[in-house]
Coordinates of all heavy atoms in Angstrom, one line a residue:
S1 N -20.1 -0.3 -17.5 CA -19.0 -0.6 -16.7 C -18.5 0.6 -15.9 O -18.1 0.4 -14.7 CB -17.9 -1.1 -17.5 OG -16.7 -1.3 -17.0
T2 N -18.6 1.8 -16.4 CA -18.1 3.0 -15.8 C -19.0 3.3 -14.6 O -18.6 3.7 -13.5 CB -18.1 4.2 -16.7 OG1 -17.3 3.9 -17.8 CG2 -17.5 5.4 -16.0
S3 N -20.3 3.1 -14.7 CA -21.3 3.4 -13.6 C -21.0 2.4 -12.5 O -21.1 2.7 -11.4 CB -22.7 3.4 -14.1 OG -23.0 2.1 -14.6
K4 N -20.7 1.2 -12.9 CA -20.5 0.1 -11.8 C -19.2 0.5 -11.0 O -19.2 0.4 -9.8 CB -20.3 -1.2 -12.5 CG -20.2 -2.3 -11.5 CD -20.2 -3.7 -12.2 CE -20.1 -4.8 -11.2 NZ -20.0 -6.1 -11.9
M5 N -18.2 0.9 -11.8 CA -17.0 1.4 -11.1 C -17.2 2.6 -10.3 O -16.7 2.7 -9.1 CB -15.8 1.6 -12.1 CG -15.4 0.4 -12.7 SD -14.7 -0.7 -11.5 CE -12.9 -0.4 -11.8
S6 N -18.0 3.5 -10.7 CA -18.3 4.8 -9.9 C -19.0 4.5 -8.6 O -18.9 5.1 -7.7 CB -18.9 5.8 -10.7 OG -20.3 5.4 -11.1
R7 N -19.8 3.4 -8.6 CA -20.5 3.0 -7.4 C -19.5 2.5 -6.4 O -19.8 2.4 -5.2 CB -21.5 1.9 -7.7 CG -22.8 2.5 -8.2 CD -23.9 1.6 -8.4 NE -24.0 1.2 -9.8 CZ -24.3 0.0 -10.2 NH1 -24.7 -1.0 -9.5 NH2 -24.3 -0.3 -11.6
L8 N -18.4 1.9 -6.8 CA -17.5 1.4 -5.9 C -16.7 2.5 -5.3 O -15.9 2.3 -4.3 CB -16.5 0.4 -6.6 CG -17.2 -0.9 -7.0 CD1 -16.2 -1.7 -7.9 CD2 -17.8 -1.7 -5.9
N9 N -16.7 3.7 -5.8 CA -15.9 4.8 -5.3 C -16.7 5.5 -4.1 O -17.6 6.2 -4.5 CB -15.7 5.8 -6.5 CG -14.8 6.9 -6.2 OD1 -14.2 6.9 -5.0 ND2 -14.4 7.8 -7.1
F10 N -16.3 5.2 -3.0 CA -16.9 5.8 -1.8 C -16.1 6.8 -1.0 O -16.4 7.3 0.0 CB -17.3 4.6 -0.8 CG -16.1 3.8 -0.4 CD1 -15.3 4.1 0.5 CD2 -15.8 2.6 -1.1 CE1 -14.2 3.3 1.0 CE2 -14.7 1.8 -0.7 CZ -13.9 2.1 0.3
C11 N -14.9 7.1 -1.6 CA -14.0 8.0 -0.9 C -13.4 9.0 -2.0 O -13.0 8.7 -3.0 CB -12.8 7.2 -0.4 SG -11.9 8.0 0.9
G12 N -13.6 10.3 -1.6 CA -13.1 11.4 -2.6 C -11.7 11.4 -2.7 O -10.9 10.7 -2.0
P13 N -11.2 12.2 -3.6 CA -9.7 12.3 -3.9 C -8.9 12.9 -2.6 O -7.8 12.3 -2.4 CB -9.6 13.3 -5.1 CG -10.9 13.9 -5.2 CD -11.9 13.1 -4.5
M14 N -9.4 13.8 -2.0 CA -8.6 14.3 -0.8 C -8.6 13.3 0.4 O -7.6 13.1 0.9 CB -9.2 15.6 -0.3 CG -9.1 16.7 -1.2 SD -7.4 17.1 -1.5 CE -7.5 18.9 -1.6
C15 N -9.8 12.7 0.6 CA -9.9 11.7 1.7 C -9.0 10.5 1.4 O -8.2 10.0 2.2 CB -11.2 11.2 1.9 SG -11.5 10.0 3.2
S16 N -9.0 10.0 0.2 CA -8.1 8.9 -0.2 C -6.7 9.2 -0.2 O -5.9 8.4 0.3 CB -8.5 8.3 -1.5 OG -8.4 9.2 -2.6
N17 N -6.3 10.4 -0.5 CA -4.8 10.8 -0.5 C -4.4 10.9 1.0 O -3.3 10.4 1.3 CB -4.6 12.1 -1.2 CG -4.8 12.0 -2.7 OD1 -4.6 11.0 -3.2 ND2 -5.0 13.1 -3.3
C18 N -5.3 11.5 1.8 CA -5.0 11.6 3.2 C -4.8 10.3 4.0 O -3.8 10.0 4.7 CB -6.0 12.4 4.0 SG -5.7 12.7 5.7
C19 N -5.7 9.4 3.7 CA -5.7 8.0 4.2 C -4.5 7.3 3.8 O -3.9 6.4 4.6 CB -7.0 7.2 3.9 SG -8.4 7.8 4.8
F20 N -4.1 7.5 2.5 CA -2.9 6.8 2.0 C -1.7 7.2 2.7 O -0.8 6.4 3.1 CB -2.8 7.2 0.5 CG -1.7 6.5 -0.3 CD1 -1.8 5.1 -0.7 CD2 -0.5 7.1 -0.5 CE1 -0.8 4.5 -1.3 CE2 0.5 6.5 -1.2 CZ 0.4 5.2 -1.6
V21 N -1.5 8.5 2.9 CA -0.3 9.0 3.6 C -0.3 8.6 5.0 O 0.8 8.1 5.6 CB -0.3 10.6 3.5 CG1 0.9 11.2 4.3 CG2 0.0 10.9 2.0
L22 N -1.5 8.7 5.7 CA -1.5 8.3 7.1 C -1.3 6.9 7.3 O -0.7 6.4 8.4 CB -2.8 8.8 7.7 CG -3.0 10.3 8.0 CD1 -4.4 10.6 8.5 CD2 -2.0 10.9 8.9
S23 N -1.7 6.0 6.4 CA -1.4 4.6 6.4 C 0.0 4.3 6.3 O 0.5 3.4 7.1 CB -2.2 3.9 5.3 OG -3.6 4.0 5.4
I24 N 0.7 5.0 5.4 CA 2.1 4.7 5.3 C 2.9 5.0 6.6 O 3.7 4.3 7.2 CB 2.7 5.5 4.2 CG1 2.2 5.1 2.8 CG2 4.3 5.5 4.2 CD1 2.6 5.8 1.6
W25 N 2.5 6.2 7.2 CA 3.1 6.6 8.5 C 2.7 5.6 9.6 O 3.6 5.3 10.4 CB 2.6 8.0 8.9 CG 3.1 8.5 10.2 CD1 4.4 9.0 10.5 CD2 2.5 8.4 11.4 NE1 4.5 9.2 11.8 CE2 3.3 8.9 12.4 CE3 1.2 7.9 11.8 CZ2 2.9 8.8 13.8 CZ3 0.8 8.1 13.2 CH2 1.7 8.5 14.1
G26 N 1.5 5.2 9.7 CA 1.0 4.3 10.7 C 1.7 2.9 10.6 O 2.1 2.3 11.6
I27 N 2.0 2.5 9.4 CA 2.7 1.2 9.2 C 4.1 1.3 9.8 O 4.5 0.4 10.6 CB 2.7 0.7 7.7 CG1 1.3 0.3 7.3 CG2 3.7 -0.4 7.5 CD1 1.1 0.2 5.8
F28 N 4.9 2.3 9.4 CA 6.2 2.5 9.8 C 6.3 2.6 11.3 O 7.1 2.0 12.0 CB 6.9 3.6 9.1 CG 7.4 3.4 7.7 CD1 6.9 4.2 6.7 CD2 8.1 2.3 7.4 CE1 7.3 4.0 5.4 CE2 8.5 2.0 6.1 CZ 8.1 2.9 5.1
M29 N 5.4 3.5 11.9 CA 5.4 3.7 13.3 C 5.0 2.5 14.1 O 5.7 2.2 15.1 CB 4.4 4.8 13.6 CG 4.3 5.3 14.9 SD 5.9 6.2 15.3 CE 5.7 6.4 17.1
L30 N 4.0 1.8 13.7 CA 3.7 0.5 14.4 C 4.6 -0.6 14.3 O 4.9 -1.4 15.3 CB 2.3 0.1 14.1 CG 1.1 1.0 14.6 CD1 -0.1 0.8 13.8 CD2 1.0 0.9 16.0
L31 N 5.3 -0.8 13.1 CA 6.4 -1.7 13.0 C 7.5 -1.4 13.9 O 8.1 -2.3 14.5 CB 6.8 -1.8 11.5 CG 5.8 -2.5 10.6 CD1 6.3 -2.5 9.1 CD2 5.5 -3.9 11.0
A32 N 7.9 -0.1 14.0 CA 9.0 0.3 14.8 C 8.7 0.0 16.3 O 9.4 -0.6 17.1 CB 9.3 1.8 14.6
L33 N 7.4 0.4 16.7 CA 7.0 0.2 18.1 C 6.9 -1.4 18.5 O 7.3 -1.8 19.5 CB 5.6 0.8 18.4 CG 5.6 2.2 18.8 CD1 4.2 2.7 19.0 CD2 6.3 2.3 20.2
G34 N 6.4 -2.1 17.5 CA 6.3 -3.5 17.7 C 7.7 -4.2 17.8 O 7.8 -5.0 18.7
G35 N 8.6 -3.7 17.0 CA 10.0 -4.2 17.1 C 10.6 -3.8 18.5 O 11.3 -4.7 19.1
L36 N 10.3 -2.7 18.9 CA 10.9 -2.2 20.2 C 10.3 -3.1 21.4 O 10.9 -3.4 22.4 CB 10.7 -0.7 20.4 CG 11.6 0.2 19.6 CD1 11.2 1.7 19.6 CD2 13.0 -0.1 19.9
F37 N 8.9 -3.3 21.2 CA 8.2 -4.0 22.3 C 8.9 -5.5 22.3 O 9.1 -6.1 23.3 CB 6.8 -4.2 22.1 CG 6.0 -2.9 22.8 CD1 5.3 -2.1 21.9 CD2 6.1 -2.7 24.1 CE1 4.5 -1.0 22.5 CE2 5.4 -1.6 24.7 CZ 4.6 -0.8 23.8
Q38 N 9.0 -6.1 21.2 CA 9.5 -7.4 21.0 C 10.9 -7.5 21.6 O 11.4 -8.5 22.1 CB 9.4 -7.9 19.6 CG 8.0 -8.1 19.1 CD 7.3 -9.3 19.6 OE1 7.9 -10.3 19.8 NE2 6.0 -9.3 19.8
A39 N 11.7 -6.3 21.4 CA 13.1 -6.4 21.9 C 13.2 -6.0 23.4 O 14.3 -5.9 23.9 CB 13.9 -5.3 21.0
H40 N 12.0 -5.9 24.0 CA 11.9 -5.5 25.4 C 12.6 -4.3 25.8 O 13.4 -4.2 26.7 CB 12.3 -6.7 26.3 CG 11.7 -8.0 26.0 ND1 12.4 -9.2 25.8 CD2 10.4 -8.3 25.8 CE1 11.5 -10.1 25.4 NE2 10.4 -9.6 25.5
S41 N 12.4 -3.2 25.0 CA 12.9 -1.9 25.3 C 12.5 -1.4 26.6 O 11.4 -1.3 27.0 CB 12.5 -0.9 24.2 OG 13.0 0.4 24.5
R42 N 13.5 -1.0 27.4 CA 13.3 -0.4 28.8 C 12.5 0.8 28.7 O 11.8 1.1 29.6 CB 14.6 -0.2 29.5 CG 15.4 -1.5 29.7 CD 16.6 -1.3 30.4 NE 16.3 -1.1 31.9 CZ 17.3 -0.7 32.7 NH1 18.5 -0.6 32.4 NH2 16.8 -0.4 34.0
A43 N 12.6 1.5 27.7 CA 11.9 2.8 27.6 C 10.3 2.7 27.5 O 9.5 3.5 27.8 CB 12.3 3.6 26.4
L44 N 10.0 1.5 27.1 CA 8.5 1.1 26.9 C 7.9 0.3 27.9 O 6.7 0.0 27.9 CB 8.3 0.5 25.5 CG 8.6 1.3 24.2 CD1 8.5 0.5 23.0 CD2 7.8 2.6 24.2
V45 N 8.7 -0.1 28.9 CA 8.2 -1.0 30.0 C 6.9 -0.4 30.7 O 6.0 -1.0 31.0 CB 9.3 -1.3 31.0 CG1 8.7 -1.9 32.3 CG2 10.3 -2.2 30.4
S46 N 7.0 1.0 30.9 CA 5.9 1.6 31.7 C 4.6 1.7 30.8 O 3.5 2.0 31.3 CB 6.3 3.0 32.0 OG 6.6 3.8 30.8
D47 N 4.7 1.4 29.5 CA 3.5 1.4 28.7 C 2.8 0.1 28.6 O 1.7 0.0 28.0 CB 3.9 1.8 27.2 CG 4.4 3.3 27.1 OD1 3.9 4.1 27.9 OD2 5.3 3.5 26.4
V48 N 3.3 -0.9 29.4 CA 2.7 -2.2 29.4 C 2.0 -2.4 30.7 O 2.6 -2.1 31.7 CB 3.8 -3.3 29.1 CG1 3.1 -4.7 29.2 CG2 4.4 -3.1 27.8
K49 N 0.7 -2.9 30.7 CA 0.0 -3.0 31.9 C 0.7 -3.9 33.0 O 0.8 -3.6 34.1 CB -1.4 -3.5 31.6 CG -2.4 -3.3 32.7 CD -3.8 -3.7 32.1 CE -4.9 -3.1 32.9 NZ -6.3 -3.4 32.3
T50 N 1.1 -5.1 32.5 CA 1.7 -6.1 33.5 C 3.1 -5.8 33.8 O 3.7 -6.4 34.7 CB 1.5 -7.5 32.9 OG1 2.2 -7.6 31.7 CG2 0.0 -7.8 32.8
R51 N 3.8 -5.0 32.9 CA 5.3 -4.8 33.1 C 6.1 -6.1 33.1 O 7.0 -6.1 33.9 CB 5.5 -3.9 34.2 CG 5.0 -2.5 34.2 CD 5.1 -1.7 35.3 NE 4.4 -0.4 35.2 CZ 4.8 0.7 35.4 NH1 6.0 1.0 35.9 NH2 4.0 1.8 35.3
T52 N 5.8 -7.0 32.2 CA 6.6 -8.2 32.2 C 7.0 -8.5 30.7 O 6.4 -7.8 29.8 CB 5.7 -9.4 32.6 OG1 4.6 -9.5 31.6 CG2 5.2 -9.3 34.1
F53 N 7.9 -9.4 30.5 CA 8.3 -9.7 29.1 C 7.2 -10.2 28.3 O 7.0 -9.9 27.1 CB 9.4 -10.6 29.1 CG 10.8 -10.1 29.5 CD1 11.7 -10.8 30.2 CD2 11.1 -8.7 29.2 CE1 13.0 -10.3 30.5 CE2 12.3 -8.2 29.6 CZ 13.2 -9.1 30.3
K54 N 6.3 -11.0 28.9 CA 5.1 -11.5 28.3 C 4.2 -10.4 27.8 O 3.7 -10.4 26.7 CB 4.4 -12.5 29.1 CG 3.2 -13.1 28.4 CD 2.5 -14.1 29.2 CE 1.3 -14.8 28.6 NZ 0.3 -15.4 29.4
G55 N 4.0 -9.4 28.7 CA 3.2 -8.3 28.4 C 3.7 -7.5 27.2 O 3.0 -7.0 26.3
M56 N 5.1 -7.3 27.2 CA 5.8 -6.6 26.1 C 5.6 -7.4 24.8 O 5.4 -6.7 23.7 CB 7.2 -6.4 26.5 CG 7.3 -5.4 27.7 SD 9.0 -4.8 27.9 CE 9.1 -3.5 26.7
D57 N 5.7 -8.7 24.9 CA 5.6 -9.5 23.7 C 4.2 -9.4 23.1 O 4.0 -9.2 21.9 CB 5.9 -11.1 24.0 CG 7.4 -11.2 24.1 OD1 8.2 -10.4 23.7 OD2 7.7 -12.2 24.8
E58 N 3.2 -9.4 24.0 CA 1.7 -9.2 23.5 C 1.5 -7.8 22.9 O 0.9 -7.7 21.9 CB 0.8 -9.4 24.7 CG 0.8 -10.9 25.1 CD -0.2 -11.0 26.4 OE1 -0.7 -10.1 26.9 OE2 -0.2 -12.2 26.9
A59 N 2.1 -6.8 23.6 CA 2.0 -5.5 23.0 C 2.6 -5.3 21.7 O 2.1 -4.7 20.7 CB 2.6 -4.4 24.0
G60 N 3.8 -6.0 21.5 CA 4.5 -6.0 20.2 C 3.6 -6.7 19.1 O 3.5 -6.2 18.0
T61 N 3.0 -7.8 19.5 CA 2.1 -8.5 18.5 C 0.9 -7.7 18.1 O 0.5 -7.7 17.0 CB 1.6 -9.9 19.2 OG1 2.7 -10.6 19.5 CG2 0.8 -10.7 18.3
N62 N 0.4 -7.0 19.1 CA -0.7 -6.1 18.9 C -0.3 -5.0 17.9 O -1.1 -4.6 17.0 CB -1.4 -5.5 20.2 CG -2.1 -6.5 21.0 OD1 -2.5 -7.6 20.4 ND2 -2.2 -6.2 22.2
C63 N 0.9 -4.5 18.0 CA 1.4 -3.4 17.1 C 1.5 -4.0 15.7 O 1.1 -3.3 14.7 CB 2.7 -2.9 17.6 SG 2.6 -1.8 19.0
F64 N 2.0 -5.2 15.6 CA 2.1 -5.8 14.3 C 0.8 -6.0 13.7 O 0.6 -5.9 12.5 CB 2.8 -7.1 14.3 CG 4.3 -6.9 14.7 CD1 5.0 -7.8 15.6 CD2 5.1 -5.8 14.2 CE1 6.3 -7.6 15.9 CE2 6.4 -5.6 14.6 CZ 7.0 -6.6 15.4
I65 N -0.2 -6.4 14.4 CA -1.6 -6.6 13.9 C -2.1 -5.2 13.4 O -2.7 -5.2 12.3 CB -2.5 -7.3 15.0 CG1 -2.1 -8.7 15.2 CG2 -3.9 -7.2 14.6 CD1 -2.7 -9.4 16.4
A66 N -1.9 -4.2 14.2 CA -2.4 -3.0 13.9 C -1.7 -2.4 12.6 O -2.3 -1.8 11.7 CB -2.3 -1.9 15.0
A67 N -0.5 -2.8 12.4 CA 0.2 -2.3 11.2 C -0.4 -3.1 10.0 O -0.5 -2.5 8.9 CB 1.7 -2.7 11.3
G68 N -0.8 -4.4 10.2 CA -1.4 -5.0 9.1 C -2.8 -4.5 8.7 O -3.1 -4.3 7.5
C69 N -3.5 -4.0 9.8 CA -4.8 -3.3 9.5 C -4.6 -1.9 8.7 O -5.2 -1.6 7.8 CB -5.5 -2.9 10.8 SG -6.1 -4.4 11.6
Y70 N -3.4 -1.2 9.0 CA -3.1 -0.1 8.2 C -2.7 -0.5 6.8 O -2.9 0.3 5.9 CB -1.9 0.7 9.0 CG -2.4 1.8 9.9 CD1 -2.3 1.6 11.3 CD2 -3.0 2.9 9.5 CE1 -2.7 2.5 12.1 CE2 -3.4 4.0 10.3 CZ -3.2 3.7 11.6 OH -3.6 4.7 12.5
G71 N -2.1 -1.6 6.7 CA -1.7 -2.1 5.3 C -3.0 -2.3 4.5 O -3.0 -1.9 3.3
I72 N -4.0 -2.8 5.1 CA -5.3 -3.0 4.4 C -5.9 -1.6 4.0 O -6.3 -1.4 2.9 CB -6.2 -3.9 5.2 CG1 -5.9 -5.2 5.4 CG2 -7.7 -3.8 4.7 CD1 -6.5 -6.1 6.4
T73 N -5.8 -0.7 4.9 CA -6.2 0.7 4.7 C -5.5 1.3 3.6 O -6.0 2.1 2.7 CB -6.1 1.6 5.9 OG1 -6.9 0.9 7.0 CG2 -6.7 3.0 5.7
L74 N -4.2 1.0 3.5 CA -3.3 1.5 2.5 C -3.8 1.0 1.1 O -3.8 1.8 0.1 CB -1.9 1.2 2.7 CG -0.9 1.6 1.7 CD1 -0.5 3.1 1.9 CD2 0.4 0.7 1.8
I75 N -4.1 -0.2 1.0 CA -4.5 -0.9 -0.2 C -5.8 -0.3 -0.7 O -6.0 0.1 -1.9 CB -4.6 -2.4 -0.1 CG1 -3.1 -3.0 0.1 CG2 -5.3 -3.0 -1.3 CD1 -3.1 -4.5 0.5
V76 N -6.7 -0.1 0.2 CA -8.1 0.4 -0.1 C -7.9 1.9 -0.6 O -8.6 2.3 -1.5 CB -9.1 0.2 1.0 CG1 -10.4 1.0 0.9 CG2 -9.4 -1.2 1.4
S77 N -7.1 2.6 0.2 CA -6.9 4.0 -0.3 C -6.3 4.2 -1.6 O -6.7 5.0 -2.4 CB -6.0 4.8 0.8 OG -6.2 4.5 2.1
Y78 N -5.3 3.4 -1.8 CA -4.7 3.4 -3.2 C -5.8 3.0 -4.3 O -5.8 3.6 -5.4 CB -3.5 2.4 -3.3 CG -2.8 2.4 -4.6 CD1 -2.0 3.5 -4.9 CD2 -3.0 1.5 -5.6 CE1 -1.3 3.5 -6.1 CE2 -2.3 1.5 -6.8 CZ -1.6 2.5 -7.0 OH -0.9 2.5 -8.2
W79 N -6.6 2.1 -4.0 CA -7.6 1.7 -5.0 C -8.5 2.8 -5.2 O -8.9 3.2 -6.3 CB -8.4 0.4 -4.4 CG -9.5 0.0 -5.1 CD1 -9.7 -0.3 -6.5 CD2 -10.9 -0.3 -4.5 NE1 -11.0 -0.6 -6.8 CE2 -11.7 -0.7 -5.6 CE3 -11.4 -0.2 -3.3 CZ2 -13.1 -0.9 -5.4 CZ3 -12.7 -0.5 -3.1 CH2 -13.5 -0.9 -4.2
Q80 N -9.0 3.5 -4.1 CA -9.9 4.7 -4.2 C -9.1 5.7 -5.0 O -9.8 6.4 -5.8 CB -10.3 5.1 -2.8 CG -11.2 4.2 -2.2 CD -12.5 4.1 -3.0 OE1 -13.2 5.0 -3.3 NE2 -12.9 2.8 -3.3
M81 N -7.9 6.0 -4.8 CA -7.1 7.0 -5.6 C -7.2 6.7 -7.0 O -7.3 7.6 -7.8 CB -5.7 7.1 -5.0 CG -5.5 7.7 -3.7 SD -3.9 7.6 -3.0 CE -2.7 8.0 -4.3
Q82 N -7.0 5.4 -7.4 CA -7.0 5.1 -8.8 C -8.4 5.2 -9.5 O -8.6 5.7 -10.5 CB -6.6 3.6 -9.0 CG -5.1 3.4 -8.6 CD -4.2 4.3 -9.3 OE1 -4.3 4.4 -10.5 NE2 -3.3 5.0 -8.7
L83 N -9.4 4.9 -8.6 CA -10.8 5.2 -9.1 C -11.1 6.6 -9.3 O -11.7 7.0 -10.3 CB -11.8 4.5 -8.2 CG -12.0 3.1 -8.2 CD1 -13.0 2.5 -7.2 CD2 -12.4 2.5 -9.5
N84 N -10.6 7.4 -8.4 CA -10.8 8.9 -8.5 C -10.1 9.4 -9.7 O -10.5 10.3 -10.4 CB -10.4 9.6 -7.3 CG -11.4 9.4 -6.1 OD1 -12.6 9.6 -6.4 ND2 -10.8 9.2 -4.9
K85 N -8.8 8.9 -10.0 CA -8.0 9.4 -11.1 C -8.8 9.1 -12.4 O -8.8 9.8 -13.3 CB -6.7 8.6 -11.1 CG -5.7 9.3 -12.1 CD -4.4 8.5 -12.2 CE -3.7 8.6 -10.8 NZ -2.3 8.0 -10.9
R86 N -9.3 7.8 -12.5 CA -10.1 7.4 -13.7 C -11.3 8.3 -13.9 O -11.6 8.6 -15.0 CB -10.5 5.9 -13.6 CG -9.5 5.0 -14.1 CD -10.1 3.6 -14.3 NE -9.1 2.6 -13.8 CZ -9.3 1.6 -13.1 NH1 -10.5 1.2 -12.8 NH2 -8.4 0.8 -12.6
K87 N -12.0 8.5 -12.9 CA -13.2 9.3 -12.9 C -12.9 10.8 -13.3 O -13.6 11.2 -14.2 CB -13.9 9.4 -11.5 CG -15.3 9.9 -11.5 CD -15.9 9.7 -10.2 CE -16.1 11.0 -9.4 NZ -16.8 10.8 -8.1
T88 N -11.8 11.3 -12.9 CA -11.4 12.7 -13.3 C -11.0 12.6 -14.8 O -11.3 13.5 -15.5 CB -10.2 13.1 -12.4 OG1 -10.6 13.1 -11.0 CG2 -9.8 14.5 -12.8
S89 N -10.2 11.6 -15.2 CA -9.8 11.5 -16.6 C -10.9 11.4 -17.5 O -11.0 12.0 -18.6 CB -8.7 10.5 -16.8 OG -9.3 9.2 -16.7
T90 N -12.0 10.6 -17.2 CA -13.1 10.4 -18.1 C -14.0 11.6 -18.2 O -14.5 12.0 -19.1 CB -13.9 9.1 -17.8 OG1 -14.4 9.3 -16.4 CG2 -13.2 7.9 -17.9
S91 N -14.1 12.3 -17.0 CA -14.9 13.5 -17.0 C -14.2 14.6 -17.7 O -14.9 15.5 -18.4 CB -15.3 14.0 -15.5 OG -14.2 14.4 -14.9
S92 N -12.8 14.8 -17.7 CA -12.3 15.8 -18.4 C -12.3 15.5 -19.9 O -12.4 16.4 -20.7 CB -10.7 15.9 -18.0 OG -10.1 14.7 -18.4
L93 N -12.3 14.3 -20.3 CA -12.5 13.9 -21.8 C -13.9 14.3 -22.2 O -14.1 14.8 -23.3 CB -12.3 12.4 -21.9 CG -10.9 11.8 -21.8 CD1 -10.8 10.3 -22.0 CD2 -10.0 12.5 -22.9
S94 N -14.9 14.1 -21.3 CA -16.3 14.5 -21.6 C -16.4 16.0 -21.8 O -17.0 16.5 -22.8 CB -17.2 14.1 -20.6 OG -18.4 14.5 -20.8
V95 N -15.7 16.7 -21.0 CA -15.7 18.2 -21.1 C -15.0 18.6 -22.3 O -15.5 19.5 -23.1 CB -15.1 18.9 -19.8 CG1 -14.9 20.3 -20.0 CG2 -15.9 18.6 -18.6
Q96 N -13.9 18.0 -22.7 CA -13.1 18.4 -23.9 C -14.0 18.1 -25.2 O -14.0 18.9 -26.1 CB -11.8 17.6 -23.9 CG -10.8 18.1 -22.9 CD -9.6 17.2 -22.9 OE1 -9.5 16.1 -23.6 NE2 -8.6 17.5 -22.1
A97 N -14.6 17.0 -25.1 CA -15.5 16.7 -26.2 C -16.7 17.7 -26.4 O -17.1 18.1 -27.6 CB -16.1 15.2 -26.1
D98 N -17.3 18.2 -25.3 CA -18.3 19.1 -25.3 C -17.8 20.4 -25.9 O -18.5 21.1 -26.7 CB -18.9 19.4 -24.0 CG -19.8 18.2 -23.5 OD1 -20.1 17.3 -24.3 OD2 -20.0 18.1 -22.2
V99 N -16.6 20.8 -25.6 CA -16.0 22.1 -26.1 C -15.7 22.0 -27.6 O -15.9 22.8 -28.2 CB -14.8 22.3 -25.2 CG1 -13.9 23.5 -25.9 CG2 -15.1 22.7 -23.8
A100 N -15.2 20.8 -28.0 CA -14.9 20.6 -29.4 C -16.2 20.6 -30.2 O -16.2 21.3 -31.3 CB -14.2 19.2 -29.6
Y101 N -17.3 20.1 -29.8 CA -18.6 20.2 -30.5 C -19.1 21.6 -30.5 O -19.8 22.0 -31.5 CB -19.6 19.2 -29.9 CG -19.2 17.8 -30.3 CD1 -19.2 16.8 -29.4 CD2 -19.1 17.4 -31.7 CE1 -18.9 15.4 -29.7 CE2 -18.7 16.1 -32.0 CZ -18.7 15.1 -31.0 OH -18.4 13.8 -31.2
A102 N -18.9 22.3 -29.4 CA -19.3 23.7 -29.4 C -18.7 24.6 -30.3 O -19.3 25.6 -30.8 CB -19.2 24.2 -27.9
N103 N -17.4 24.3 -30.6 CA -16.7 25.1 -31.6 C -17.2 25.0 -33.0 O -16.9 25.8 -33.9 CB -15.2 24.8 -31.5 CG -14.6 25.2 -30.2 OD1 -15.1 26.2 -29.6 ND2 -13.5 24.6 -29.9
Y104 N -18.0 24.0 -33.3 CA -18.4 23.7 -34.7 C -19.7 24.4 -35.0 O -20.2 24.5 -36.1 CB -18.6 22.2 -35.0 CG -17.2 21.5 -35.1 CD1 -16.9 20.5 -34.2 CD2 -16.5 21.7 -36.1 CE1 -15.8 19.8 -34.4 CE2 -15.2 21.1 -36.3 CZ -14.9 20.2 -35.4 OH -13.7 19.5 -35.5
D105 N -20.3 25.0 -34.0 CA -21.5 25.8 -34.2 C -21.4 27.0 -35.0 O -20.6 27.8 -35.2 CB -22.3 26.1 -32.9 CG -22.8 24.8 -32.2 OD1 -23.0 23.8 -33.0 OD2 -23.0 24.8 -31.0

């Protein structure tokens, strides 16, 4: 079972932590931008190709979709963090067992 779980671990501890933090930031940023686009913020009109309310609504929808993609990344990163934590705890137990047996010689 442990070897099967270790095969599912494709992201190291630093990478999964980084992706987790960036996903949280991305979700908040894109939700805020999506809300501002949907509210037809005048500050963002120049960022829309067509410069119409319909274009702003589409941009807001795209921001919400991208926030959902970051949500998926957040879930996968958290899953990888948990797998890395399990892998570290089982390897440290193995090292502790080896040290304990070495003391009996």
Side-chain angles (χ1 to χ4, degrees):
S1 172
T2 305
S3 64
K4 186 176 183 180
M5 288 302 257
S6 66
R7 279 187 260 148
L8 296 175
N9 189 358
F10 55 84
C11 199
M14 294 296 220
C15 182
S16 59
N17 290 340
C18 180
C19 289
F20 184 77
V21 171
L22 289 176
S23 295
I24 292 171
W25 177 81
I27 290 168
F28 285 125
M29 186 70 189
L30 287 167
L31 287 176
L33 269 175
L36 289 171
F37 275 120
Q38 293 284 324
H40 306 132
S41 173
R42 294 180 74 184
L44 296 174
V45 168
S46 61
D47 294 325
V48 178
K49 198 174 200 177
T50 60
R51 296 182 188 220
T52 62
F53 285 149
K54 183 180 179 193
M56 292 189 82
D57 289 338
E58 289 174 1
T61 301
N62 289 339
C63 286
F64 294 138
I65 291 169
C69 292
Y70 269 106
I72 292 168
T73 304
L74 179 79
I75 292 167
V76 171
S77 317
Y78 182 75
W79 173 51
Q80 290 297 304
M81 286 169 52
Q82 295 305 310
L83 287 178
N84 284 318
K85 191 186 296 186
R86 271 193 223 141
K87 190 167 113 179
T88 303
S89 66
T90 57
S91 66
S92 67
L93 289 175
S94 172
V95 170
Q96 289 172 356
D98 290 343
V99 169
Y101 287 126
N103 291 336
Y104 287 116
D105 287 337

